[in-house]
Amino acid sequence: YKSTNLKWNKLMLKGAVVLFIEQILKKGVLFLATFVLAYFLPPADFGLISIAVFVLGFSNSFVESGLKDSIIREKSLDEITLSTAYWINNAFAIIVCLSVIGMSSFIANLYDQEKLAEILPIIALTSILFSQQVVPLGIIHKRLEFSKIVRATLPAVLISSILSIFLANAGYGIWALILQILLSTSITSVLLFLESKFRPKFKFDNGVIELLLNVMKANGIFAERLITNERLPDPKDLVFYEVVMA
């Protein structure tokens, strides 16, 4: 028992170090990319993207809905349970995406930024892309295979950053930043899917469906209270949110 516990602690420590290094490298690449992009793009573009990133982070928190942590905590997960979680999560991501699209004009009016109504419907697609990585990421965390996360996130950040700089230099403006977000999420999702070796089947477990729907309902109530009781953050503050959450 002591030997098993020691081995487990070593794996956890190694995983923590790997994830720490991954975060440092990822944020370093993003910082350098942002520094270069700032040469080509006006501050107003970064302000608009910061608002979009905040809305995106808020919506993606509901797409994830604690699903990754649930997968990690469960002692054993069968194919049907994982497949059910995957398909329900995808369905919920589509609902979240459509909700953001439907609210884009409302959010644009709140911030008095007409261009947000054009940007948010595109950025909203990221919720669907992000949902593809939730279950695979939970599986990878559960197996303590943290190096696979590095192999997925770093290439995504590097490729998306380089392409966004080229586009910004070519005069595409704020769309270079939008592509960076979409491409980074897409590549990360694809690579995590491949690394996890998870292949969903079109099978469902009614108990899992009921549990997931209850969690999503609770999140919906929380979102409603937050929106109705809290003021929207200032765009200048969101620049810092974008850097921290990247």
Side-chain angles (χ1 to χ4, degrees):
Y1 175 78
K2 288 183 178 180
S3 176
T4 302
N5 194 42
L6 182 61
K7 182 180 179 181
W8 178 264
N9 289 336
K10 286 183 177 179
L11 286 173
M12 290 294 291
L13 179 60
K14 180 182 177 181
V17 171
V18 170
L19 290 180
F20 176 75
I21 294 173
E22 182 258 350
Q23 285 294 312
I24 293 296
L25 292 175
K26 187 173 75 170
K27 289 186 182 297
V29 172
L30 287 172
F31 177 81
L32 290 175
T34 303
F35 183 79
V36 176
L37 287 167
Y39 177 80
F40 299 108
L41 303 175
D45 286 352
F46 289 95
L48 286 172
I49 284 297
S50 296
I51 298 173
V53 167
F54 173 77
V55 174
L56 176 65
F58 185 74
S59 59
N60 281 352
S61 67
F62 296 106
V63 171
E64 199 272 333
S65 296
L67 182 59
K68 183 190 73 176
D69 293 333
S70 298
I71 292 174
I72 296 171
R73 286 195 301 265
E74 287 294 323
K75 291 183 178 180
S76 61
L77 291 166
D78 55 37
E79 185 181 77
I80 297 179
T81 299
L82 290 173
S83 295
T84 302
Y86 173 80
W87 292 116
I88 294 297
N89 188 244
N90 271 264
F92 188 56
I94 293 173
I95 294 172
V96 170
C97 176
L98 293 175
S99 298
V100 173
I101 292 173
M103 293 179 63
S104 58
S105 295
F106 172 72
I107 297 172
N109 290 332
L110 281 178
Y111 279 104
D112 195 25
Q113 298 287 342
E114 293 183 5
K115 198 169 182 63
L116 276 176
E118 182 182 355
I119 293 171
L120 285 175
I122 306 300
I123 292 290
L125 297 174
T126 309
S127 294
I128 298 176
L129 298 172
F130 173 75
S131 69
Q132 307 306 309
Q133 62 182 259
V134 175
V135 173
L137 191 57
I139 293 172
I140 290 172
H141 271 276
K142 186 176 181 64
R143 295 172 179 167
L144 301 179
E145 298 173 333
F146 299 110
S147 60
K148 292 184 176 181
I149 298 175
V150 179
R151 294 203 294 266
T153 57
L154 285 185
V157 170
L158 282 169
I159 294 171
S160 61
S161 296
I162 291 171
L163 285 179
S164 67
I165 291 171
F166 274 111
L167 287 175
N169 184 43
Y172 283 87
I174 196 170
W175 295 102
L177 298 174
I178 294 172
L179 176 77
Q180 183 183 26
I181 295 170
L182 291 172
L183 193 59
S184 178
T185 308
S186 300
I187 295 174
T188 300
S189 296
V190 170
L191 293 179
L192 284 174
F193 213 96
L194 294 174
E195 291 285 358
S196 70
K197 295 181 171 59
F198 169 64
R199 301 297 179 265
K201 307 294 183 183
F202 202 68
K203 298 178 180 179
F204 300 92
D205 184 315
N206 292 332
V208 176
I209 293 175
E210 184 178 354
L211 177 62
L212 289 174
L213 291 178
N214 285 335
V215 171
M216 291 171 184
K217 181 180 178 181
N219 283 335
I221 295 172
F222 170 78
E224 181 182 358
R225 290 176 178 174
L226 181 63
I227 292 171
T228 54
N229 294 332
E230 298 290 336
R231 69 175 181 85
L232 288 172
D234 189 276
K236 291 180 290 186
D237 300 330
L238 292 176
V239 174
F240 296 99
Y241 173 87
E242 181 185 2
V243 173
V244 173
M245 295 302 292

